[in-house]
Amino acid sequence: MVSHPRRVYHARMRICFIGDSYVTGTGDETCQGWAGRLCAMERQEGRDVTLYNLGVRGQTGHDIARRWRTETQARIGGRHDGGIVLSFGVNDCTSRPDGRPRLAPEHSLAAACAMMQDAATAHWPVLMVGPPPTGHAVTDARTQALSHALGAACARHGVPFLPIAAALRASPLWCPEIARGDGAHPAGGGYGELARLVHGWTAWRAWMDVLRENRSSTR
């Protein structure tokens, strides 16, 4: 297990959300996605968070692992008020023309572990949100298996992990909005439900509670 040092934040926090089209919020008519909605909720509750959305549509874990460090360094490098939220995996699990997944599960895991290890070296705290469902049986079966594997890898690295597939499959909005949309992404209602899942997550609340405490101490 990698030991992540306890961080003492100032009265604000800069957060890089790193991932794929679900992080970008593709399909959301307001162009906020779940990351934007989540940070808007926190700002409405008085927390000074700055959002950097580093999602790129169509990318696999391998693609993300190649670019994330440079993009993150430019935004929170050398700071003491930065954090990282990782979320990817659906593109890894979609099928190539030959029926195999775009990225083998072991390569998805290797990408995630490399990012977590690199973030620990840079002293950036990390959270990881699991991949969501799409309503397509083959992809969702692969995504569910990958989510379990990512959760185990995060545990080994000391990184909190939030599985979201089961909750979103049971959602009255997520998969129905995908079916009415482009067949892969929900609209704003679905992203709102995902934002609420993360908002209530113990690990996310721990970040926000520290932020609130430090904000109060600086008044």
Side-chain angles (χ1 to χ4, degrees), residues 120-205:
T121 301
H123 303 295
W124 291 328
V126 181
L127 303 178
M128 187 164 194
V129 175
T134 64
H136 303 288
V138 173
T139 300
D140 284 355
R142 291 172 178 165
T143 300
Q144 184 67 27
L146 179 59
S147 181
H148 285 306
L150 287 170
C154 284
R156 292 193 297 272
H157 284 264
V159 170
F161 179 81
L162 178 66
I164 59 173
L168 291 180
R169 274 197 302 272
S171 160
L173 294 177
W174 186 270
C175 287
E177 286 190 352
I178 288 175
R180 292 194 297 269
D182 65 2
H185 304 93
Y191 285 116
E193 292 206 344
L194 177 48
R196 287 187 287 274
L197 287 176
V198 180
H199 184 266
W201 181 25
T202 303
W204 174 263
R205 294 265 47 92

Side-chain angles (χ1 to χ4, degrees), residues 96-114:
R96 294 164 35 174
D98 62 6
R100 292 185 296 171
R102 284 185 59 195
L103 193 65
E106 60 269 24
H107 295 154
S108 298
L109 289 174
C113 290

